[in-house]
Structures are given as C-alpha cells and as structure tokens.
Amino acid sequence: MDNTVSENESHRQLGFIATLPSDIVLEIFSHLNQQDCLTSMAVCRDWYAAIPEYTRSIWKDLVFSERVARDHRRRELCLGSHVKNITIEPSEPGPVVEQELRTLIHKLLDWGCTQVESIDLYSCNTPHLDDCLDLLKLIAPHLTRLKLHQHGSKLDILHILYAFPDLTYLWCHTFYSNDYGRDAIIRPFDILDDYHSNVTQLRLDIMLTKAQKESILRKCPNLRSLVDTCKSIVNTDSKVNLDDLFAWCPRISFLQTTFYVAEEDPDYYIGDDKEGLHFLSIHDCYDVDQIGRHLTRNQDTLEYLRIRQDELSNDYSRVLGELHLQNLKSLTFSSICINADNLVALLNHCPVLEKLHLHSSRCLTVTSAAFQSIHPMQQLKSMEFHGIILEDGLSLLTVLGHFPLLEALTLNRMTLQLELPVCPESPSHLKRLELPYALWHVDSGVRQDTESAVANFLRYLTSNSKVEIIRLPNVSMMGRRSLLTIAMIPTLRTLEVDLDRTVQEEELLEFIRMLRETAIVSLILGNLYSLSFAVCVALTELLQLETFATNQFSFGGPITHINGDGLQHLLRKSPRLVQLKFYNNSEVENNGKKITTRDQLSALINEQVSQVDESYGVPPGHWDLAPDTHNSTQLHSIAIKRI
C-alpha cells in the first residue's frame, strides 16, 4: 500500500483546519516553534502560503546570523514588521565584522523587518561606532532596548543614547582593557548641552573614568536602574560621588556598583509605583558616612542590601546599628566590620527579612548574651554564615530556634557547638543544609563522644524536616552512625560528604543500600579510596541516580582505586546515570592492568555497553570522556558522560 499522502488528502487536512474559528487555529499554531513552522510549510502549497499568516507571534523573536541568512528558504515569508526582538550573533567563532553586519541588516530590510524594538548584538567588531548605529537605525528607528555584548570598538554612550531617543534599556560590554577610559570615548557634541536621555536602565561593563561616568549620568534624569560591574569601581579616581549621582538621577531604585552580579531582576525593583531606593549592592570604596546617609534616607524603601568591604579602617557598626529597615527582605554583608551588638540591633529592626548572608573575615564574634536579645525572625528562609564565631557555649541549634521557617542553612568554616538544646523541637521547614569545612566541638573532647554527638546533631536537625540537599565537604567525623542517619532522610536528593577514615567497605555498602529508600539523584563521596565491584553493584540499585562523583582535595592525597569491571557494570546497569566524575588521584585497573591513557579508558567504558539489561530499563547509549579527563600516563581526573 502507498503510504504517501496525496495532494487531495493534504487539501482535506487543510480544509478541516480552515473550518475552525481563526482564534482556535491561532492557538493550535502557537504551540509550534520556528523550525516547526518551516517544516510545516513544506506540506503543501496552501500551508506554504497560510502558515506565515497564522504564526506571526512565533516570529516576534529572531536569532540571526550569517548562517541563518544563507538558509532563508521559507523563512523570509515568515518575517516582516511583526519581528520585534532580534539577536545578531556570529555564525562562526570570531566577531561579526562590519561588512557582515551590513549584509545581515540589508537582508532583514529586504524581508520587511523595519519595526524592531530590541536588539542584542554579540561580538561585533566595527571600527566606527557611528556606522554601526546607522545600520541598526535602518531596522529599528524606534529602538527601546539595546545590548552590545563584547563589542570591539570604543563606545560613546552619549551618542548611542542620542541616536535612539526612544531607548529605555542600554547594556554596554566591551573586551576589557587595562587602562581606564580606553573602552569608551566622550566626544564633544554641542547639541547634547540641553539633551536628556529617556533611558531608565543602564548597565556598564566597561572601563570608565570618573569624568566619563559623570558626563553620562548627568544626561540620565529618568534613570531607574544602574549596574556597574566593571573593576574600574575599585579605582578611587573612577568612582562617582553618591550625593552627585542621586542628584543627577533622583529616580534611581536599583543601584549596583560591585563585581558581584545580582541574580535579582531589576524590573521587580523599578516598577512605576515604586519610589525611593529599593535595591543597593555597593562596594565600600565610598566613604562610610556617605553610604550611611543614603541608607538612612532610604531605610523605609530598601528591600535588598549588600555591602562588600575592603578598607580595614571602615567601621559600619554605628551606621548600621541605627537603621530601621522595615521592608528589607535580603541582607548580605561581605567582610563587614561590625560588632555583634550593632548587628543584633540591625536584625531586630528588619522584621520581614527573608535572606541573611554574613561573610566575615573580620572574625565577627557572637556571644550568648548578644544572641539572646535577637527577636525571633518569623520570615527568614535562607541563612548563610561564613567564619562567624559563636562564643560562651552558644549552640547552633539554639541559634536555629530563632528562625522557625528556615529552609536553607549554610555554615562555612565555623566551629559548631554540638550540645543539644533543652527544647526538643527541630526545624520543620529545612530543605538545604551545607556545612563546608565545619569543625565540631563537644566539651569532653573525646573522639567517641564527638562521633555520637555529630550523629545526634544531624538526626536532630533533619528528623522533622524535608531536607533535599546536604553538602558536608571537608567535614570530619562522618562515620557509620552519621552516614546512616543521613540515609534515613526519605526526601534526600543531593548529598556530598567526606567519608571518615574509619569507614569500612561493609559499612559503606550498608550506607549505599539504605540510600535506596531516598530520592537520591546526585551523590558525591570524598575520601573514597576504593571503588570496588561490590560498591559499583550497590550504586546500580539507586534507580534515580544521575550523577556520581568522588573527590580528593589534593593531588598528594590517597589514590582512588577504581575496579574496571565494576565501572563497566555501573555504566551498563544504572538506568538514569548520565555522569561520573573522579577528581584527583584516580587509578583504573582492569584484569590486573592499569589504565593509563584516554584511549584505553574510552575503550573500556564502551566495551559491551550495547548489551543493555532490559530488566533495569537502561537506555542504549554511548559513554564519552569529558574534556577535563587527562590524557597522560596517570589519569588524575576522570569525567565520563552519556552521549
């Protein structure tokens, strides 16, 4: 029987769709992607003509390159003035040169793309900025959003703003040079004397001098969001006075002048109904009193505050201790010099705080007396302490009692008092626990007492919660009792733990088998000295496992011996495993012979892999060595991925 579809049958199929109301037809086609549209146009002549009309909304966004321009069959019929957002990127490694950009722009013009509102231009190397802007104006006379990423020519920010008077968003990023001011130029332009830009969001990832920044900001009275992530901010000659900044740009609601790139979306903080400063992430190359003035002035509106300190002479205790941040939701201090009493005073004046991160290299010490004066923080969900000292026998679990809704807890490089509090209630909302480089402390100092205390501590911390992620890298005393305590958490999905040197293979097997009752997806075991055949078999019984890794923290540490037959078994029988990683000092042996080269290891891991064990439902596939696998006489680091 002929299985091909005749043209009449195609017409009948098209006729059926044509009988539906137009809004339903539009809804059907809205579930296609752009490639689906091009494929569907090949069905018949009627679909070839009709689909571009029904799928205009799908082509609102366009990623364009020289390669895409060459493959224009059917595509050009789908484009037109309804294309609003265009990303232009290189089709091959290297920048988009001026002639290539000119060709791409004229292609878009030929296809009717003349009302573009947003352009993302990646890796463009045009020697003259004006020529580039003139080309962009051909397709976007009313451009509102422009992103110049890794631009190769010097940028004149003011001329960009003037060339596109409707521009509200501008992101400029160039290849960094070592000299301030060489990434940008400010040319004399008489007509700019009375000119003011409509831009509301400005991101500068370029090296600028203070004069260059000032000349730009003076022309942006409507600015709501300013992000300066460039390292030029640490140069005192390049910083703009905060008082001047807020005088020129009085409507700023989102201000970031640090290396740190915030994950938060500026749009949330710059809504039309929001007045005052809502987001501040700042480096302390500014004077403390100057920062303090603006914190005080905006303390009723601030929702996000992050301060990074480098100057040892700056003490924020007085400035921060006097603030009342009634709407603050996120607070991050990095290396801030502040005493415990003023920190407590600040926290007591942040009633809706949801995120608290304290990264201290100043040895911030919190005593029992100071801590007892903290009001219970009912809204706090995420807490991260780095290097904070808890004194006077202050127990971590006593600290947690003040944060009943805590979901994520990270304690980095801290000494933790393990005595359990009198109150038996444990955290009920905890989902993420990270204790990297933690040091345990019990009054007796006896190892056996410490091992028991660690197990009891973990049991207390997780018994009443639904923990999904536990990370304990470089944490000692993770013996059998502690491992089995962790393995009894049914919601556990991700675990990173360093095995104590006392853990025997039988105990490790017991631990892995207990993990079958969890939801484990990712497992990282540090200090695993032997990946034997028995351990590999036990790992295959973790039916949800996708990633398994071992970790040694130094090249001089013990070698992880990997059984070749066990490795093959693990790759063949694990139904969802997609990635294996063995970091530092790994050695693979197969039939008594060491595997020393990349080619030998590749042959081993793919030998007989095609013999799929259907009872495990393992999908057929091929395993490959990732680029970070060394091809040398000793395979120090091994990464294997399913492809």
Side-chain angles (χ1 to χ4, degrees), residues 343-378:
L343 176 62
V344 169
L346 173 63
L347 295 180
N348 284 337
H349 294 148
C350 301
V352 297
L353 194 65
E354 298 177 359
K355 176 181 175 182
L356 173 62
H357 289 187
L358 301 178
H359 302 253
S360 175
S361 61
R362 310 283 195 252
C363 296
L364 175 64
T365 300
V366 180
T367 64
S368 297
F371 181 79
Q372 293 300 329
S373 61
I374 297 180
H375 303 158
M377 305 183 72
Q378 302 293 338

Side-chain angles (χ1 to χ4, degrees), residues 70-106:
R70 289 196 302 265
D71 184 23
H72 61 81
R73 293 175 302 169
R74 301 189 294 272
R75 192 187 308 271
E76 58 189 282
L77 296 179
C78 297
L79 304 180
S81 59
H82 52 279
V83 177
K84 300 300 181 184
N85 309 311
I86 291 182
T87 297
I88 299 177
E89 59 185 16
S91 55
E92 303 292 341
V96 177
V97 297
E98 183 172 340
Q99 184 56 45
E100 181 181 354
L101 179 63
R102 188 177 302 277
T103 300
L104 293 176
I105 295 298
H106 283 285

Side-chain angles (χ1 to χ4, degrees), residues 56 59-60 62 64 75-86 103-117 138-141:
R56 288 190 174 188
W59 295 92
K60 181 179 179 181
L62 178 65
F64 201 53
R75 192 187 308 271
E76 58 189 282
L77 296 179
C78 297
L79 304 180
S81 59
H82 52 279
V83 177
K84 300 300 181 184
N85 309 311
I86 291 182
T103 300
L104 293 176
I105 295 298
H106 283 285
K107 277 285 186 182
L108 292 170
L109 283 174
D110 292 341
W111 297 341
C113 302
T114 58
Q115 299 298 321
V116 176
E117 298 174 357
L138 294 176
I139 60 171

Side-chain angles (χ1 to χ4, degrees), residues 427-572:
S428 59
H429 292 78
L430 196 65
K431 295 181 180 179
R432 184 185 190 101
L433 175 64
E434 300 188 35
L435 306 175
Y437 297 91
L439 297 176
W440 310 114
H441 175 76
V442 293
D443 291 337
S444 69
V446 179
R447 177 181 173 87
Q448 185 176 359
D449 293 342
T450 302
E451 290 177 346
S452 299
V454 170
N456 291 336
F457 169 82
L458 293 172
R459 183 179 298 109
Y460 177 89
L461 204 58
T462 59
S463 61
N464 195 32
S465 61
K466 297 180 179 179
V467 177
E468 298 179 1
I469 300 172
I470 294 181
R471 293 187 64 251
L472 304 171
N474 256 359
V475 176
S476 62
M477 301 294 179
M478 299 309 298
R480 175 180 177 274
R481 291 187 59 182
S482 297
L483 293 176
L484 297 185
T485 297
I486 294 173
M488 290 189 292
I489 305 173
T491 54
L492 187 64
R493 293 178 55 84
T494 298
L495 174 62
E496 179 179 356
V497 61
D498 280 8
L499 302 176
D500 190 77
R501 65 180 183 275
T502 62
V503 175
Q504 302 298 314
E505 181 168 301
E506 294 78 9
E507 296 171 334
L508 176 60
L509 291 173
E510 180 185 12
F511 163 63
I512 294 175
R513 287 164 184 155
M514 285 189 64
L515 286 176
R516 291 180 299 185
E517 304 301 320
T518 70
I520 195 74
V521 172
S522 176
L523 178 61
I524 301 176
L525 298 180
N527 298 334
L528 179 65
Y529 303 137
S530 176
L531 186 65
S532 65
F533 186 87
V535 172
C536 290
V537 171
L539 289 172
T540 63
E541 297 174 0
L542 304 179
L543 302 183
Q544 306 299 319
L545 190 66
E546 297 178 2
T547 298
F548 175 73
T550 66
N551 199 7
Q552 309 291 349
F553 285 91
S554 67
F555 283 101
I559 293 176
T560 298
H561 297 278
I562 303 172
N563 180 277
D565 290 336
L567 181 59
Q568 283 184 321
H569 184 86
L570 181 59
L571 298 179
R572 285 189 56 215

Side-chain angles (χ1 to χ4, degrees), residues 52-172:
E53 295 298 320
Y54 282 112
T55 59
R56 288 190 174 188
S57 62
I58 298 173
W59 295 92
K60 181 179 179 181
D61 302 319
L62 178 65
V63 178
F64 201 53
S65 64
E66 189 175 33
R67 179 184 56 79
V68 174
R70 289 196 302 265
D71 184 23
H72 61 81
R73 293 175 302 169
R74 301 189 294 272
R75 192 187 308 271
E76 58 189 282
L77 296 179
C78 297
L79 304 180
S81 59
H82 52 279
V83 177
K84 300 300 181 184
N85 309 311
I86 291 182
T87 297
I88 299 177
E89 59 185 16
S91 55
E92 303 292 341
V96 177
V97 297
E98 183 172 340
Q99 184 56 45
E100 181 181 354
L101 179 63
R102 188 177 302 277
T103 300
L104 293 176
I105 295 298
H106 283 285
K107 277 285 186 182
L108 292 170
L109 283 174
D110 292 341
W111 297 341
C113 302
T114 58
Q115 299 298 321
V116 176
E117 298 174 357
S118 172
I119 296 177
D120 287 11
L121 185 55
Y122 282 82
S123 300
C124 182
N125 190 7
T126 54
H128 303 292
L129 178 65
D130 290 343
D131 293 339
C132 176
L133 298 181
D134 289 341
L135 287 172
L136 297 182
K137 280 192 286 188
L138 294 176
I139 60 171
H142 303 290
L143 190 68
T144 60
R145 182 185 181 278
L146 177 60
K147 180 178 179 180
L148 301 175
H149 186 73
Q150 292 186 338
H151 203 73
S153 61
K154 291 186 177 182
L155 297 178
D156 188 334
I157 309 299
L158 290 180
H159 276 247
I160 294 174
L161 296 176
Y162 185 78
F164 298 102
D166 298 312
L167 201 65
T168 59
Y169 178 100
L170 176 61
W171 180 356
C172 294

